Amino acid sequence: MEFENITFPKGTTFLVTGAAGFIGSNLVNSLLDKGFKVRGLDNFSTGREINVEEFLDNPNYDFIKGDIRDSEVCLQACEGIDYVLHQAALGSVPRSMKEPLIYEDNNIKGTSNMMEAARLSGVKRFVYASSSSVYGDSPELPKIEGKEGNILSTYALTKMTNEQYGKLYTEVYGLECVGLRYFNVFGKRQDPDSQYAAVIPKFIKSILSDEPVEIYGDGEQSRDFTFIENVIQANLKSCLAPSEACGRAYNIAYGESITLNDLYKKIGVLLEREINPIYGPERAGDIKHSLADISNTKKFLSYEPHWDFETGFKLAVDWYKENLIIKQATNS
C-alpha cells in the first residue's frame, strides 16, 4: 500500500478545512481509517452535510461548523492541532469570473486567516490547496513550477496570492507552509449536481441520465486528471517533508494528459452507452492544455503517484454508477 511508509507519532492531530467537500472529506476518511485524530471545519457553502455526517460517530473525529473568514473560528479550529490540511475555498473558474469579490473574501482572506491562526496556535505545518490554474496562458508543456504565464481568472489569482502568503509565512513568520497545485482531481464524492461541477462527474451523470453533454470548445483541450488517492498521499507526505521543502508550491498530478473528447468516449464505453456531445463556445478563463512535470514534487516531497488515470477512472465510474443509480431510484 502506498501509505505504509507514511508514519506519524501516536496522538498526532489533523485539522482538515473544507471537510465537507470532495477532497476534504476524502482526506478525513483516509486519516480516520489510519487511526488519527481529526477535526473538520466547513460552513457548507459548497460542501455537503452528508460528507460530514458519516464520520460523526467516530470518537477520533470532531467537527466545527464555521467560516474561515471568521478569525475567531480559525483560532478555535487550530487549537491543539499538529498539522493543518487546508482545502477550504471557493472553486470554479467560471464562477470566479462572474463573482470576483467573493473569491477574494473566501480564498485570500480566508486562507490568510487560517495561516495566522495556525501560526498563533503553534501548528507544525500548514499544507494548503493551490491549483494548476496559476500557470495561466503559459504554452509550455509540461507545466514546471517557476514558469507561470499571465493569470487568466480570478480563481487563479486567489491561488497565486495564497502561494505568496505561504512563502511569506514560511520565511518571515516561521510557519512551515507547503502549497499543492492540484491538477484536475477526480474520485468518489465529487459533486455532479453543482452548476459548476467538475467535468468527470458531470459527464458521468449526464450519460447515466441519457442526456447529451455540452463540451466547451472543440473538446481537444487536454487535462492531467489526478486520482484522489494521489492527492491524499501528497498531503500526508507534505507534512513530513524536510523543512527545506517549505515556502514553495508543487505540482500534484500523475503526469499524463487526455483530451475531453477521449475522456467522453471512455466514459461511454465503461457505461456501455453512446451519446454524442454538444459543442459550445469556449469558456473565459479556461486553460487549453494541462500537463504536469512532477519531478520537483518527487524530489522534495517524496511523492510517488501510484494511481494512474485508467485505474482511478474505473473506480470512480463504478462509484458513480452505484451512487447515482441509488439516488435516482430514491427520488423516483
Side-chain angles (χ1 to χ4, degrees):
M1 290 295 291
E2 64 179 298
F3 299 121
E4 287 180 351
N5 62 339
I6 306 177
T7 57
F8 293 86
K10 186 177 181 180
T12 297
T13 58
F14 293 85
L15 168 64
V16 178
T17 71
F22 158 50
I23 295 177
S25 63
N26 276 282
L27 278 168
V28 170
N29 197 163
S30 182
L31 290 166
L32 290 175
D33 282 349
K34 294 167 181 54
F36 297 123
K37 293 183 178 180
V38 184
R39 178 176 298 147
L41 173 66
D42 206 299
N43 67 352
F44 300 123
S45 60
T46 57
R48 304 169 71 191
E49 291 194 43
I50 191 172
N51 289 340
V52 169
E53 291 168 354
E54 63 179 293
F55 307 125
L56 292 178
D57 291 334
N58 191 313
N60 285 331
Y61 183 66
D62 71 279
F63 177 76
I64 297 173
K65 182 180 179 181
D67 197 313
I68 59 173
R69 293 173 294 180
D70 186 331
S71 58
E72 291 301 318
V73 167
C74 295
L75 282 168
Q76 178 190 355
C78 286
E79 184 178 353
I81 295 296
D82 293 304
Y83 300 99
V84 174
L85 306 180
H86 177 57
Q87 316 299 313
L90 290 180
S92 174
V93 166
R95 184 184 177 190
S96 79
M97 302 297 280
K98 297 177 180 178
E99 303 175 85
L101 294 184
I102 68 168
Y103 276 74
E104 178 184 5
D105 202 26
N106 282 271
N107 294 5
I108 296 178
K109 180 182 178 182
T111 297
S112 60
N113 278 346
M114 282 304 311
M115 287 184 182
E116 179 66 359
R119 179 185 76 86
L120 293 174
S121 303
V123 166
K124 294 177 181 177
R125 188 159 295 179
F126 188 94
V127 180
Y128 63 94
S130 186
S131 167
S132 60
S133 64
V134 300
Y135 287 103
D137 64 0
S138 170
E140 185 169 336
L141 291 176
K143 306 297 184 185
I144 301 174
E145 300 95 334
K147 295 186 178 181
E148 296 79 21
N150 295 311
I151 293 296
L152 296 176
S153 68
T154 305
Y155 173 72
L157 179 60
T158 67
K159 291 300 184 179
M160 180 59 78
T161 305
N162 291 166
E163 292 186 8
Q164 293 300 312
Y165 267 104
K167 184 175 187 293
L168 183 73
Y169 264 83
T170 299
E171 296 177 354
V172 176
Y173 296 109
L175 174 68
E176 294 189 337
C177 299
V178 178
L180 305 180
R181 293 180 176 176
Y182 296 153
F183 278 69
N184 297 92
V185 186
F186 72 96
K188 66 180 182 180
R189 295 197 186 94
Q190 197 168 24
D191 186 6
D193 296 317
S194 166
Q195 178 184 355
Y196 303 103
V199 65
I200 287 180
K202 184 177 181 180
F203 281 8
I204 293 172
K205 182 184 180 184
S206 294
I207 293 174
L208 281 174
S209 304
D210 293 318
E211 297 174 352
V213 168
E214 181 178 12
I215 295 179
Y216 301 102
D218 60 9
E220 288 304 299
Q221 57 267 49
S222 60
R223 297 289 181 264
D224 192 336
F225 289 103
T226 309
F227 190 51
I228 184 63
E229 293 294 323
N230 293 329
V231 170
I232 294 170
Q233 180 206 145
N235 273 269
L236 298 186
K237 286 194 170 180
S238 294
C239 295
L240 299 174
S243 294
E244 293 75 22
C246 299
R248 303 175 55 174
Y250 301 89
N251 293 337
I252 305 302
Y254 187 73
E256 295 179 358
S257 63
I258 181 175
T259 68
L260 296 192
N261 285 331
D262 286 341
L263 172 70
Y264 191 81
K265 292 174 185 175
K266 285 179 179 291
I267 295 175
V269 169
L270 287 178
L271 295 179
E272 299 180 336
R273 303 189 188 193
E274 185 174 348
I275 303 174
N276 292 326
I278 298 170
Y279 292 94
E282 294 183 2
R283 296 191 304 188
D286 272 357
I287 293 173
K288 184 68 175 176
H289 297 291
S290 176
L291 173 64
D293 181 311
I294 56 175
S295 56
N296 281 326
T297 321
K298 290 181 175 182
K299 177 181 177 181
F300 290 98
L301 303 184
S302 299
Y303 171 71
E304 290 293 340
H306 296 280
W307 294 82
D308 61 20
F309 172 76
E310 294 291 343
T311 305
F313 186 61
K314 289 175 183 176
L315 289 173
V317 171
D318 286 344
W319 187 87
Y320 279 104
K321 280 172 64 177
E322 179 179 350
N323 284 272
L324 288 177
I325 288 172
I326 290 174
K327 185 176 180 180
Q328 289 170 348
T330 302
N331 293 337
S332 63

